[in-house]
Amino acid sequence: MALEIKTNSVRQRQQTFSNVARRLGSDKPASRYEEATYDLQPDVNFHYRPTWDPAHEIFDKTRTSIIMADWYDLKDPRQFYYGTYTIQRSRMMEAVEKNFAFAEKRGLLSTYDPEWQAMVCFYLLPLRHLEWGANMNACNMVDQGYGAAITQSAMFATMDRLGIAQIISRIGLAMGGASTLDQAKDYWVSAPEWQPIRQLVEDSFVVEDWFEQFVAQFLSLDGLLYPLVYGHFDAIGLERGAGALSMVTEFMVDWQEEISKWADTVLKRAAAESDTNRTFLAQWYGEWTERVQTALLPLAEKVLGPTAKDILASLRESLDKRAMRLGIQIEAEIAA
Amino acid sequence: MTSNVSITLQNTDDGRGIVAAIIADNPEAVVSTYPAMTKIDCPSRLIMNKTSIEQQLGREFDLHELNLTMVSISGNVDEDDDRLLLMWNV
């Protein structure tokens, strides 16, 4: 008996979800990121306004002065959705664990120049409180923001900030146990060098406009603080034998580079939308960066000495250039 | 007469990104989609750029990762860190 083998090819009726297909303009396979992002947030049929803010809907575009025709244009270039985000971070965290194990086994975090150890306790450990503040700000963006594209990435940032605070805490514990962290909290609350920074962080909690908060936190504050602390402070540490500290803070350096890609893409897109947006962004950037630069100076002077002012000025200059590249005109230049 | 070079990739999330990058960089590429894989033919030469793939995937991409997605290729391979070139050495 002859057996005839027939092949049937089955064509699926749809390549992706309808809501995604409508956005992409055709029914072609969408990436996981697109499927996990587009139109995820409800935007119709809200029956009641929130009792805590009756002036707005639960999800409301008017909670910021920034206006976007489509809030899903603020996509994340890293294409993070839950799966990719957790895989990426777990990879980074593995390296951190490895470095901690290396440093702790040899006691490297508590055996370098004692004078510099005291300085590290002063400049690095209080940052865990600042990171918690950044977590609060990102949480507020998630709460007030519009569109899953930006709130999803902001949610991931909240976790990043807690993670960084934990890494800093672990450094403190390795340096001298819980009392070191208590000491660091004292610095945060009462050392004069820290007060302008603490005030800045606390003021950023009560910013009404969540997009302004985004600019203040992820561009102005992080843009100056990270290169100062993990760049310039760290470089002095290397001269003082604190190489192991650079290993365990490498996460922050890598993370800052990565998160900047997200912040830059979002800001660039928002600035490109309209002149009104650009004006708001420039105004916020100008105000906050000026404040951050002033607030960081006492701390920078304590660690770096008399060169602090010039170093901060040069960091400011490169941050201004970055803002220019994003299409955020700086006011002084508009006036000029 | 030029003959085609070709590459066949699995229809995975990575695969789709790589296909999109190839189409963007090779205007002459002809794409045939099958249930589980995508075959791309291109007259005489086909280039895959690391940077274009990275842009599509939103992450760093080592060209060696291509082997995880690739089903088959035809053509001589000329590869460095930044790009993979398929062509017939004649």
Side-chain angles (χ1 to χ4, degrees):
Chain A
M1 189 183 98
L3 192 68
E4 197 187 332
I5 299 176
K6 230 169 95 181
T7 43
N8 267 334
S9 112
V10 180
R11 187 162 289 277
Q12 67 208 66
R13 296 180 69 173
Q14 218 177 328
Q15 302 289 331
T16 183
F17 302 104
S18 302
N19 63 324
V20 180
R22 276 195 294 276
R23 276 192 173 270
L24 299 181
S26 68
D27 184 27
K28 61 177 186 192
S31 71
R32 296 280 177 275
Y33 171 70
E34 287 164 330
E35 291 184 343
T37 304
Y38 280 139
D39 295 315
L40 235 63
Q41 175 204 283
D43 51 13
V44 286
N45 302 335
F46 300 132
H47 292 237
Y48 304 104
R49 287 177 174 244
T51 49
W52 44 271
D53 183 9
H56 294 99
E57 297 283 3
I58 295 180
F59 299 109
D60 201 313
K61 295 175 185 172
T62 60
R63 285 209 172 92
T64 172
S65 309
I66 296 296
I67 296 168
M68 295 293 295
D70 180 2
W71 281 90
Y72 285 89
D73 281 342
L74 301 180
K75 283 201 286 280
D76 183 348
R78 305 165 300 170
Q79 300 188 18
F80 278 166
Y81 55 96
Y82 184 79
T84 43
Y85 168 72
T86 45
I87 290 168
Q88 171 68 10
R89 283 297 175 270
S90 108
R91 268 196 209 127
M92 287 169 77
M93 205 54 206
E94 249 169 49
V96 173
E97 294 292 349
K98 193 89 192 146
N99 290 347
F100 262 112
F102 178 89
E104 279 172 354
K105 190 156 76 183
R106 293 165 182 77
L108 293 178
L109 291 174
S110 52
T111 49
Y112 54 91
D113 181 357
E115 210 177 282
W116 186 251
Q117 275 187 52
M119 188 60 101
V120 168
C121 177
F122 185 85
Y123 86 73
L124 181 68
L125 303 187
L127 283 175
R128 67 201 203 97
H129 303 287
L130 183 139
E131 291 296 338
W132 176 81
N135 162 272
M136 292 289 284
N137 284 342
C139 272
N140 193 52
M141 286 174 57
V142 178
D143 182 21
Q144 313 265 318
Y146 191 89
I150 189 162
T151 54
Q152 159 170 263
S153 307
M155 188 67 225
F156 296 147
T158 65
M159 289 295 111
D160 289 340
R161 306 312 293 236
L162 281 191
I164 291 170
Q166 282 174 358
I167 292 173
I168 298 173
S169 305
R170 278 178 65 179
I171 295 171
L173 291 174
M175 281 170 67
S179 61
T180 318
L181 293 181
D182 292 338
Q183 172 76 56
K185 186 174 179 185
D186 276 347
Y187 289 144
W188 173 253
V189 176
S190 50
E193 289 87 351
W194 276 105
Q195 296 325 299
I197 303 175
R198 185 162 71 100
Q199 192 184 357
L200 180 103
V201 169
E202 288 175 3
D203 284 350
S204 72
F205 289 164
V206 291
V207 171
E208 289 280 339
D209 189 311
W210 63 271
F211 215 99
E212 177 178 354
Q213 208 168 27
F214 175 59
V215 174
Q217 180 69 56
F218 287 93
L219 185 62
S220 299
L221 180 52
D222 292 352
L224 286 181
L225 180 84
Y226 271 72
L228 180 69
V229 171
Y230 300 108
H232 289 279
F233 292 3
D234 195 72
I236 301 185
L238 287 177
E239 289 166 17
R240 311 284 288 262
L245 193 68
S246 313
M247 276 173 60
V248 291
T249 54
E250 184 62 8
F251 180 95
M252 286 75 131
V253 179
D254 292 342
W255 176 82
Q256 177 57 27
E257 197 183 318
E258 184 216 275
I259 201 86
S260 306
K261 283 186 200 154
W262 168 59
D264 286 5
T265 310
V266 169
L267 290 168
K268 195 173 186 176
R269 183 62 191 81
E273 181 85 358
S274 69
D275 283 341
T276 331
N277 281 1
R278 206 170 17 250
T279 316
F280 277 116
L281 292 174
Q283 186 196 333
W284 294 332
Y285 171 78
E287 283 170 13
W288 281 98
T289 312
E290 194 59 43
R291 263 199 80 177
V292 171
Q293 192 180 356
T294 319
L296 287 178
L297 187 61
L299 179 72
E301 272 175 342
K302 166 117 177 167
V303 181
L304 300 170
T307 53
K309 206 169 183 145
D310 291 342
I311 288 176
L312 263 177
S314 78
L315 289 177
R316 170 72 191 268
E317 200 180 316
S318 43
L319 190 62
D320 282 348
K321 276 190 195 139
R322 181 175 150 198
M324 285 289 276
R325 275 202 307 276
L326 303 178
I328 302 174
Q329 296 284 332
I330 290 117
E331 284 185 50
E333 271 146 327
I334 294 172
Chain B
M1 193 199 121
T2 58
S3 50
N4 280 343
V5 294
S6 89
I7 182 163
T8 309
L9 300 159
Q10 297 178 61
N11 286 344
T12 55
D13 216 24
D14 278 355
R16 282 187 283 270
I18 300 169
V19 169
I22 294 176
I23 296 171
D25 290 346
N26 300 276
E28 292 183 297
V30 178
V31 181
S32 327
T33 310
Y34 301 100
M37 57 191 191
T38 302
K39 183 165 190 276
I40 301 171
D41 295 292
C42 200
S44 70
R45 81 198 275 285
L46 183 140
I47 191 162
M48 273 161 272
N49 290 311
K50 179 178 148 89
T51 44
S52 329
I53 298 176
E54 284 180 343
Q55 236 167 12
Q56 288 292 336
L57 297 181
R59 63 177 177 89
E60 279 182 27
F61 185 84
D62 185 327
L63 276 179
H64 290 154
E65 284 181 63
L66 201 60
N67 291 299
L68 299 173
T69 310
M70 194 164 68
V71 178
S72 167
I73 48 171
S74 71
N76 296 109
V77 174
D78 177 0
E79 183 183 12
D80 63 24
D81 285 348
D82 300 319
R83 59 116 183 86
L84 189 146
L85 185 63
L86 274 182
M87 58 190 292
W88 292 114
N89 294 336
V90 280

